[in-house]
Amino acid sequence: MTKVQLNQKEQHYADTREEAEEIISAAKENDNLQMHKITEKYNKYGQYFLIDLTYAYQTPKEVMESRPQNDNVPEGQMSMDDHEGIEYSVDKNGGVSISDGQLELVK
């Protein structure tokens, strides 16, 4: 299973509003920027700004619809995409039966 980054949150610090706006303008160059916010804060040392950035790279739907990568399948073996599966039927008692010839090993 591969890991796919769906979103990322960043928080930056700036001493002046101009610096905060420069950080925002640099972040806007990334097409994946979804949200940005500048928060003005105060403490005993004075005023400062916190910049919150949120990036969204893919939605879970896009990840699930994308074709899985089969780079790790050794040569001579089948991947999960190479066959249609096994046909089976379930009777009223919950028993499962498989058609003849489906459990043969392929060499």
Side-chain angles (χ1 to χ4, degrees):
M1 176 180 222
T2 61
K3 292 183 181 181
V4 177
Q5 183 175 10
L6 299 178
N7 54 46
Q8 176 181 344
K9 293 184 179 186
E10 295 180 2
Q11 190 172 52
H12 298 269
Y13 166 87
D15 288 323
T16 64
R17 178 165 288 279
E18 290 78 24
E19 289 176 7
E21 290 173 359
E22 287 177 18
I23 293 171
I24 296 288
S25 64
K28 285 183 179 179
E29 293 176 6
N30 188 338
D31 293 334
N32 297 315
L33 181 68
Q34 292 291 319
M35 189 273 302
H36 63 279
K37 178 174 71 171
I38 299 175
T39 306
E40 187 174 348
K41 299 278 191 169
Y42 296 93
N43 63 16
K44 65 181 181 178
Y45 302 109
Q47 177 186 30
Y48 65 98
F49 297 88
L50 288 178
I51 301 96
D52 294 313
L53 304 173
T54 302
Y55 299 94
Y57 298 104
Q58 294 183 10
T59 65
K61 179 181 176 185
E62 290 171 340
V63 172
M64 294 302 292
E65 289 176 350
S66 67
R67 184 176 175 93
Q69 297 176 354
N70 290 327
D71 296 337
N72 297 332
V73 178
E75 187 176 325
Q77 293 185 2
M78 293 186 348
S79 69
M80 293 300 289
D81 295 332
D82 292 339
H83 63 86
E84 294 294 321
I86 297 174
E87 294 181 19
Y88 65 93
S89 61
V90 180
D91 60 19
K92 293 180 183 178
N93 297 329
V96 177
S97 60
I98 299 173
S99 303
D100 292 337
Q102 291 196 48
L103 294 180
E104 295 176 6
L105 294 175
V106 178
K107 294 183 181 180

